[in-house]
Amino acid sequence: MSIESPIREPLIFGDVNLHTITEDVCGPTEHKPTKAWWFGFTIACCGFAFGIFCFTWEVMFGIGTWGLNKTIGWGFDITNFVWWIGIGHAGTLISAILLLFRQEWRNSINRSAEAMTIFAVMCAGMFPIFHMGRVWNAHMFLPLPNDFGPLWPNFNSPLLWDVFAISTYFTVSLVFWYTGLLPDLASIRDRATTKMRWSIYNFLSFGWTGSVRHWNRFELVSLILAGISTPLVLSVHTIVSFDFATSVIPGWHTTIFPPYFVAGAIFSGFAMVHTLLVVARVTMKLENYITIGHLEAMAKIITLTGSMVGIAYGTEFFMAWYSGYKYEQFAFINRAFGPYWWAYWSMITCNVITPQLFWFRKIRRSPVAIFILSIFVNIGMWFERFVIIVISLHRDFLPSSWAMYVPTWVEAGMFIGTIGFFFWWFFLFAKFFPVIAMAEVKMIWKKTTTGKPAGAFLPLQDYDPDKAYQLADMNNPNYLDSAGGHDHGHSEHHHTEEPITH
Amino acid sequence: MLKIKRTNCIVAVFNDDHVLLGALRTAVAKGYNIIDVFTPFPVHGIEKTLGIKRSNLGIAAFVFGCIGLCFGLSLTYYTMTYDWRINIGGKPNWPLLSFVPVLFECTILITALGMVTTFYTICKLAPGVIPVIYDKRATDDRFVVLLEDDARGAEIRMIMKENGAEEIRDDVHVTDNFPGPSPLKLR
Amino acid sequence: MESLNQKFTFTSKTRNLFIGISVVGLVLILAGLVVHKDQYARFWANFLLSNFYFFAFSIVAVSFLAIQYLAHAGWSAGIKRIPEAMSTYLPIPFIGFLIIIGASFMHGHGMTALYEWTHESIVKADPVLTGKSPYLNSTFWIIRVFVYFAIWILCARAYRAYSRKEDEVGGMEYYHKQVKLSAGFLPAFGVTFCLAAFDWFMSIQPHWYSTIFAVNVWASAFVGFMTVTNITIILLKKNNYMQWVSENHMHDLGKFMFAFSVFWTYTWLSQFLLIWYANLPEETPYYLARMWGNWKYLFFLNLFLNFACPFLMFMMRDAKRTPNWILFVGAVLLMAKYLDWYIIVMPFTAGHTSGFGLYEIGFYMFFGGMFCYSLAYSLSKANLVPTKHPYLIESLHHEV
């Protein structure tokens, strides 16, 4: 059994045991939804409905209802597409990459983050499909002979790579997420009080029993899925960046795009996880599981990826100058000081400056500050895509075709519609599915709370790493032996310990 | 009501994973036949104690990966090079490099789907499967050991009790498709 | 458990071995001066390449420490003395660069042998190079070398000093100091390493540019650093040191070697695919010079050694847990990293005179001997494990 250092902040707080974990997570699926839930759900439904109206409008009257023109062929649609796909990156990062890095704080948030991924990818997928105008020809995306004649889609095209990348990403994320759900759905099943409920959740849990042989394979499957999802999640935004970078348009063609897009995607994805979880942990009373420590860890990742994005902006700008290629140089001057300067500086403010505020411990441990900053990052990352797409296109090699782009209400409505759609799914998920991976939290419960050397177990409000450290008395030469002694046979430990109160 | 009966079993229920591991070690040392163990989360060490080998699913994943790669290669080669050749940007007729993304995605997709299907198949998990549940709390907070009730039955019960079993049931907790209100509510 | 108060004994046998390697390297270089007569560009290219090769491992070692502190990593606490010891090598590459700078006073040597943009007549005749001259000029380049090394050496020494102080006094004070240091160092490292890669390697072909270039060089360096760490641990264990380090630690280091080999391929592909696809005349010369003629064998061998080899040889779990196999894969990867940077440096410096002869082997041995000496020397100076590191307990009980 692995051991945790006494100074590591517990990942679970409160008077929690295995049974209360089940109670707290399954509870919301068993009770009638709260008023807050109905309120949010209704708003999401309204947004979704307005979106359906706008999408229908676009299909009826064609792409002419958008503000696109001959110069700017990609506007709100692709901006929104890339924005949503980016948001969809955090879930798989949390469930796959952080699993490989054994970051145990992921266990409390991976379920909801991955659900978010799946819904975000669904939102993203709508934009390219509706951008075709004739949505009834959407099957032409697929490698079928076109109109069943001998002409195939072009496998040299990054747009077709996108089709493969996003459909693979969606499928694998769904499979990964659902496999992880089985044990928790079985928990809900085994608590069922009506036959109907039992049958539904048994159907959904595939007849899971928790047999040791199943767990043994389950863990290996999770690990391998994490192993293959890691390059997958990198590949998706890489391929999205190829949509731009394989071209010769100044501002689009640069080799840093793949890692820079991936960093940006993780950055925006974590911001969205923050936005959702800061609210969800309070409304669903999950503060014991999604602690300030969890929010702080995510804030650190936001600072890291935000700084990477910042360095990439700098590199791009520097290389544009260094290249000696005047079109490239113009593209960047135009970004910062052209007619869309406000979009560029919004991007810089939100993406480069706001995440640096998380260097302050007070800010990154304050849910309110985190919520506000996460909204800024979401906005900033939307502007990043707008800057890359629209500003690069609006003034190209031929000054006579320079133009401006203004979105119409239809485009804006479609964007609002996908936000409604996203939250619509998320509310349903929060009502009917376990929002925290119970089995995984139970796995670390003992280690992170009572499995530590004595004295490290302190009430939340008194938690102080220095104090925990002193209590553990690490300067004591027998420290390692006494800690090792906790390895076996201290099963009663957590009963005798003073329970922490929140 | 569907009833699945399994005779000659002892169900021992534990409330702590450390105690469970200790009891399992004793049971294995004494040569009892442990049919299965049900836990709410993966308890590391059980598989070692029971001598369950590491799963070979990794090899399955590798094989499926190879299949996926071959599928991607044949798809791109057939469509772009063999069936209908087009000059695109003066690139070669079989531009393997620009197929890398598609080949990669095909490999990942087939690996994931193939491996997960294999996992579900060997674990006999599928929508609509009616499981045999010996104790409903095994997905909540209890650790359930299923032992064969052989000639040493009385001894097994005693030893398991001595090793910290919270509850020993002689009879099998027979499961049907809906076994009534949750014992949790009754507790 | 055995005592954690254990120091590496730098025996005279090992010491003589490392000094011997350097001396043999020096002899080979001197022999090279006779055999490879008048090939000054090749001489300096090899100087730069081998100097950079060992430098890169030691600077990435510092960044690894920074990442471990910022991430509050526990598993690596027990092995962190090895990157620490590696980082003490940094002054030697600095001296190496001073030699390159100093030799530039002789025309055709040092920087003037390596970088086209140091020749004023060429720059004046070329508008692109003239445009770059505010950045690419000898004075600024030299200033930057000093700035980079000042930051790196100071931070590396601070890590070492704090860590050794922690051994004495314990407590959280020095841990927090190192976390703060890391928060400052890591962004600075990101910027300085990027610029250093542009300065030292990319500007060899001053017309060419690629924004991902530094990331690719960093990925190589990271794999190389992990390889050296893993090899050092295995060799120490074989000599009855650090018995608390288990195959679990090697497994984790192996995973890093594997994962970052794949990451290297990713950055390699991002650069190559985008340049190949867009086919812009500003960008293609880099690959035109390397994909045709005799270079093409090395070019594809590079991809094979850096990607296919680690990918296939390290995929299985047991492969990452078998010390002798790790040593073998590690040797392949160390060669692969050399080849990777060889291909970056040589075509536009040594050009047609490049090959694999006395200079190549000589410089590699010369710097390699010093690197090993400094690593072993620093290991012998401090406890092999930071006994009062607050997360040490996690590392000692590390299980994968």
Side-chain angles (χ1 to χ4, degrees):
Chain A
M1 176 175 176
S2 52
I3 288 191
E4 244 184 48
S5 169
I7 62 158
R8 219 174 262 287
E9 181 174 330
L11 293 169
I12 304 169
F13 281 115
D15 187 10
V16 165
N17 60 41
L18 291 179
H19 180 62
T20 49
I21 295 175
T22 319
E23 283 285 328
D24 289 344
V25 180
C26 296
T29 67
E30 287 161 351
H31 309 134
K32 283 221 166 74
T34 58
K35 272 188 187 139
W37 187 90
W38 277 116
F39 179 72
F41 188 65
T42 314
I43 293 177
C45 281
C46 295
F48 185 22
F50 182 56
I52 292 176
F53 173 72
C54 292
F55 275 102
T56 315
W57 189 275
E58 188 259 319
V59 172
M60 280 171 73
F61 299 105
I63 298 293
T65 54
W66 293 359
L68 301 177
N69 52 45
K70 274 185 197 158
T71 304
I72 301 147
W74 283 356
F76 250 50
D77 46 1
I78 304 300
T79 303
N80 295 337
F81 160 70
V82 181
W83 188 71
W84 276 120
I85 277 286
I87 286 173
H89 273 57
T92 315
L93 181 100
I94 291 171
S95 53
I97 299 183
L98 296 185
L99 176 71
L100 297 184
F101 278 118
R102 287 192 298 271
Q103 295 295 305
E104 279 164 347
W105 55 271
R106 72 176 264 294
N107 291 16
S108 299
I109 54 169
N110 63 348
R111 173 70 42 72
S112 44
E114 216 180 335
M116 187 201 83
T117 288
I118 290 163
F119 309 144
V121 173
M122 293 197 307
C123 292
M126 285 201 268
F127 287 97
I129 291 174
F130 280 85
H131 194 200
M132 292 195 308
R134 298 172 191 160
V135 277
W136 50 92
N137 281 338
H139 65 275
M140 282 184 159
F141 268 153
L142 303 171
L144 300 164
N146 274 351
D147 266 356
F148 307 102
L151 191 61
W152 297 88
N154 180 9
F155 280 93
N156 296 288
S157 161
L159 301 181
L160 188 66
W161 303 346
D162 257 350
V163 175
F164 274 79
I166 290 160
S167 51
T168 302
Y169 184 51
F170 178 72
T171 316
V172 174
S173 297
L174 190 66
V175 164
F176 195 2
W177 179 68
Y178 202 82
T179 306
L181 261 170
L182 294 183
D184 293 352
L185 290 171
S187 291
I188 299 186
R189 171 198 67 197
D190 290 343
R191 291 161 53 89
T193 43
T194 63
K195 182 165 182 171
M196 175 79 169
R197 197 174 161 81
W198 192 92
S199 306
I200 290 172
Y201 280 101
N202 186 53
F203 185 84
L204 291 175
S205 65
F206 290 12
W208 178 268
T209 54
S211 157
V212 60
R213 287 175 184 80
H214 291 185
W215 277 124
N216 192 25
R217 297 182 191 122
F218 176 91
E219 283 209 292
L220 188 66
V221 165
S222 306
L223 213 56
I224 297 173
L225 277 176
I228 60 173
S229 297
T230 302
L232 176 66
V233 68
L234 298 189
S235 83
V236 175
H237 229 61
T238 296
I239 289 173
V240 171
S241 81
F242 284 169
D243 290 349
F244 307 99
T246 50
S247 73
V248 295
I249 293 178
W252 282 14
H253 178 74
T254 172
T255 49
I256 194 105
F257 255 32
Y260 151 48
F261 263 50
V262 172
I266 294 165
F267 179 51
S268 66
F270 268 91
M272 188 56 109
V273 176
H274 259 162
T275 311
L276 291 177
L277 290 188
V278 166
V279 178
R281 68 191 279 273
V282 178
T283 51
M284 298 182 77
K285 300 191 177 59
L286 296 172
E287 287 106 323
N288 282 342
Y289 307 100
I290 302 169
T291 64
I292 299 289
H294 289 85
L295 300 179
E296 185 184 11
M298 287 192 278
K300 283 180 183 171
I301 290 189
I302 286 188
T303 310
L304 173 74
T305 48
S307 306
M308 280 158 76
V309 167
I311 286 190
Y313 292 159
T315 310
E316 264 191 322
F317 229 106
F318 172 70
M319 275 300 160
W321 172 79
Y322 178 87
S323 71
Y325 182 45
K326 58 185 176 187
Y327 302 103
E328 190 82 20
Q329 290 171 349
F330 171 79
F332 279 87
I333 296 294
N334 185 46
R335 259 185 202 181
F337 306 109
Y340 284 113
W341 60 270
W342 46 269
Y344 182 79
W345 293 108
S346 307
M347 166 185 104
I348 294 286
T349 317
C350 296
N351 289 352
V352 182
I353 298 167
T354 50
Q356 304 306 328
L357 294 174
F358 283 138
W359 285 108
F360 300 102
R361 188 181 152 90
K362 274 224 170 93
I363 293 182
R364 63 171 192 260
R365 290 183 77 89
S366 147
V368 179
I370 285 175
F371 184 77
I372 295 167
L373 289 182
S374 76
I375 300 283
F376 272 108
V377 173
N378 282 322
I379 295 171
M381 283 310 287
W382 190 89
F383 271 114
E384 182 198 297
R385 278 62 178 251
F386 185 82
V387 163
I388 291 172
I389 294 169
V390 173
I391 304 189
S392 303
L393 283 176
H394 91 121
R395 285 184 168 177
D396 59 6
F397 293 104
L398 205 60
S400 60
S401 62
W402 287 6
M404 294 294 283
Y405 162 78
V406 180
T408 63
W409 65 269
V410 183
E411 284 169 289
M414 286 167 74
F415 182 42
I416 294 167
T418 48
I419 294 174
F421 182 66
F422 175 82
F423 281 100
W424 185 76
W425 275 108
F426 197 82
F427 277 110
L428 289 181
F429 159 74
K431 174 69 196 79
F432 294 107
F433 280 68
V435 287
I436 284 180
M438 276 182 276
E440 291 178 43
V441 172
K442 286 174 188 173
M443 217 166 116
I444 58 161
W445 161 69
K446 198 179 240 179
K447 179 172 128 179
T448 190
T449 54
T450 57
K452 293 182 179 182
F457 199 47
L458 296 169
L460 174 59
Q461 61 268 31
D462 300 338
Y463 188 79
D464 175 9
D466 293 329
K467 206 168 166 194
Y469 172 85
Q470 284 160 7
L471 283 168
D473 194 14
M474 288 177 55
N475 297 323
N476 175 355
N478 299 322
Y479 164 60
L480 285 169
D481 303 333
S482 63
H486 280 276
D487 205 346
H488 307 293
H490 65 110
S491 56
E492 298 308 316
H493 188 60
H494 65 274
H495 295 301
T496 53
E497 200 68 55
E498 187 74 16
I500 48 177
T501 45
H502 184 210
Chain B
M1 270 198 173
L2 175 72
K3 291 215 174 196
I4 305 162
K5 203 152 196 150
R6 188 145 182 190
T7 49
N8 294 330
C9 287
I10 301 171
V11 179
V13 182
F14 295 81
N15 64 5
D16 185 273
D17 49 343
H18 278 273
V19 181
L20 166 83
L21 273 174
L24 284 178
R25 282 195 196 108
T26 316
V28 168
K30 295 208 178 252
Y32 304 151
N33 184 12
I34 299 166
I35 300 167
D36 210 338
V37 183
F38 301 94
T39 55
F41 57 89
V43 179
H44 292 166
I46 299 188
E47 68 281 6
K48 216 183 257 176
T49 313
L50 300 190
I52 297 171
K53 276 195 202 131
R54 212 180 141 80
S55 169
N56 284 331
L57 276 166
I59 295 167
F62 183 72
V63 171
F64 280 112
C66 294
I67 294 173
L69 184 63
C70 292
F71 168 74
L73 280 170
S74 15
L75 178 74
T76 47
Y77 179 78
Y78 175 75
T79 54
M80 291 283 103
T81 308
Y82 178 80
D83 191 42
W84 196 270
R85 219 177 258 195
I86 312 173
N87 183 341
I88 292 154
K91 298 284 189 243
N93 274 320
W94 196 35
L96 207 52
L97 191 63
S98 57
F99 294 161
V100 165
V102 172
L103 298 181
F104 174 78
E105 301 300 338
C106 287
T107 312
I108 296 288
L109 182 67
I110 307 248
T111 310
L113 290 181
M115 190 190 51
V116 169
T117 314
T118 314
F119 164 67
Y120 286 154
T121 313
I122 52 179
C123 291
K124 298 197 176 62
L125 295 171
V129 167
I130 307 290
V132 185
I133 294 164
Y134 295 90
D135 193 311
K136 288 168 67 167
R137 295 167 298 169
T139 54
D140 179 14
D141 61 346
R142 291 298 194 274
F143 306 82
V144 179
V145 183
L146 193 65
L147 297 119
E148 191 183 336
D149 191 3
D150 54 16
R152 292 183 293 177
E155 182 199 327
I156 296 174
R157 288 182 183 89
M158 200 184 74
I159 294 286
M160 294 319 276
K161 196 89 195 166
E162 273 174 14
N163 276 278
E166 179 194 51
E167 195 182 320
I168 307 263
R169 254 186 261 116
D170 291 357
D171 203 4
V172 172
H173 190 97
V174 182
T175 308
D176 50 54
N177 55 1
F178 177 62
S182 166
L184 297 171
K185 303 276 171 186
L186 304 175
R187 233 185 318 154
Chain C
M1 184 174 274
E2 64 179 297
S3 168
L4 291 172
N5 287 319
Q6 189 183 60
K7 272 186 187 167
F8 173 70
T9 323
F10 197 14
T11 58
S12 57
K13 202 177 139 201
T14 334
R15 187 174 296 158
N16 291 340
L17 175 72
F18 294 151
I19 294 174
I21 291 175
S22 269
V23 170
V24 171
L26 196 62
V27 171
L28 289 177
I29 296 167
L30 292 174
L33 287 172
V34 179
V35 177
H36 311 308
K37 210 162 172 273
D38 294 335
Q39 299 181 359
Y40 300 126
R42 180 174 172 188
F43 176 91
W44 288 109
N46 275 300
F47 193 109
L48 174 72
L49 174 61
S50 291
N51 193 24
F52 182 86
Y53 182 88
F54 293 103
F55 148 77
F57 300 163
S58 28
I59 186 63
V60 171
V62 188
S63 74
F64 176 77
L65 289 174
I67 294 168
Q68 299 307 300
Y69 277 106
L70 283 184
H72 292 279
W75 71 277
S76 58
I79 56 163
K80 81 175 265 275
R81 279 285 142 87
I82 291 162
E84 241 176 56
M86 253 189 249
S87 71
T88 57
Y89 173 71
L90 279 172
I92 293 173
F94 179 52
I95 294 168
F97 273 97
L98 291 183
I99 293 172
I100 292 181
I101 292 166
S104 312
F105 290 106
M106 288 187 285
H107 192 75
H109 286 279
M111 287 163 69
T112 49
L114 292 167
Y115 304 113
E116 198 186 339
W117 48 264
T118 51
H119 302 271
E120 273 181 29
S121 53
I122 296 178
V123 174
K124 264 188 195 148
D126 188 327
V128 175
L129 292 190
T130 313
K132 292 182 192 198
S133 58
Y135 183 77
L136 283 187
N137 62 65
S138 304
T139 320
F140 193 23
W141 192 91
I142 292 167
I143 292 172
R144 288 198 300 269
V145 168
F146 277 90
V147 172
Y148 302 154
F149 274 103
I151 295 172
W152 295 336
I153 293 174
L154 283 178
C155 289
R157 290 181 70 93
Y159 275 113
R160 180 93 178 151
Y162 286 156
S163 181
R164 291 182 65 173
K165 195 84 187 156
E166 189 183 67
D167 273 7
E168 286 167 25
V169 295
M172 286 300 285
E173 185 192 350
Y174 286 93
Y175 186 81
H176 286 316
K177 275 193 175 165
Q178 296 192 71
V179 171
K180 284 203 180 109
L181 176 64
S182 305
F185 173 72
L186 209 55
F189 169 76
V191 174
T192 49
F193 190 85
C194 277
L195 290 177
F198 296 156
D199 283 0
W200 301 341
F201 277 1
M202 204 169 84
S203 75
I204 288 174
Q205 252 172 295
H207 289 87
W208 181 76
Y209 57 90
S210 167
T211 38
I212 204 177
F213 185 80
V215 186
N216 181 269
V217 173
W218 177 80
S220 262
F222 196 85
V223 176
F225 155 72
M226 278 295 166
T227 310
V228 175
T229 310
N230 213 346
I231 290 176
T232 313
I233 287 174
I234 292 169
L235 293 181
L236 283 173
K237 260 185 85 102
K238 284 196 183 228
N239 288 296
N240 292 320
Y241 293 107
M242 297 182 89
Q243 293 311 315
W244 55 82
V245 173
S246 64
E247 62 271 22
N248 294 314
H249 297 83
M250 294 177 206
H251 190 177
D252 271 350
L253 292 168
K255 280 191 233 168
F256 270 115
M257 286 158 70
F258 177 83
F260 278 82
S261 292
V262 176
F263 181 74
W264 174 87
T265 317
Y266 167 73
T267 55
W268 185 92
L269 189 81
S270 299
Q271 179 171 300
F272 182 65
L273 186 130
L274 290 176
I275 290 175
W276 174 82
Y277 205 103
N279 216 5
L280 288 176
E282 287 86 359
E283 294 179 333
T284 45
Y286 181 82
Y287 286 108
L288 287 177
R290 288 163 176 83
M291 282 179 72
W292 273 269
N294 288 331
W295 285 104
K296 84 172 164 224
Y297 304 108
L298 289 181
F299 184 78
F300 290 106
L301 179 67
N302 183 33
L303 201 53
F304 177 77
L305 285 181
N306 272 305
F307 170 62
C309 280
F311 186 78
L312 295 173
M313 295 196 294
F314 248 16
M315 184 143 62
M316 289 301 171
R317 177 186 152 94
D318 288 343
K320 297 187 273 281
R321 300 173 75 90
T322 315
N324 286 336
W325 183 248
I326 298 173
L327 288 181
F328 174 69
V329 179
V332 173
L333 275 173
L334 288 182
M335 275 198 304
K337 294 305 151 200
Y338 184 80
L339 181 61
D340 184 29
W341 291 331
Y342 182 86
I343 291 174
I344 290 175
V345 172
M346 290 299 167
F348 279 75
T349 48
H352 65 279
T353 62
S354 50
F356 197 73
L358 294 173
Y359 278 161
E360 282 73 15
I361 301 170
F363 274 110
Y364 191 88
M365 286 175 76
F366 177 62
F367 285 108
M370 289 199 286
F371 178 77
C372 293
Y373 186 93
S374 119
L375 176 59
Y377 177 78
S378 304
L379 280 180
S380 72
K381 283 293 154 195
N383 216 330
L384 275 174
V385 70
T387 36
K388 287 178 181 161
H389 190 290
Y391 290 124
L392 182 63
I393 185 171
E394 293 182 8
S395 187
L396 298 179
H397 293 86
H398 182 51
E399 253 180 70
V400 178

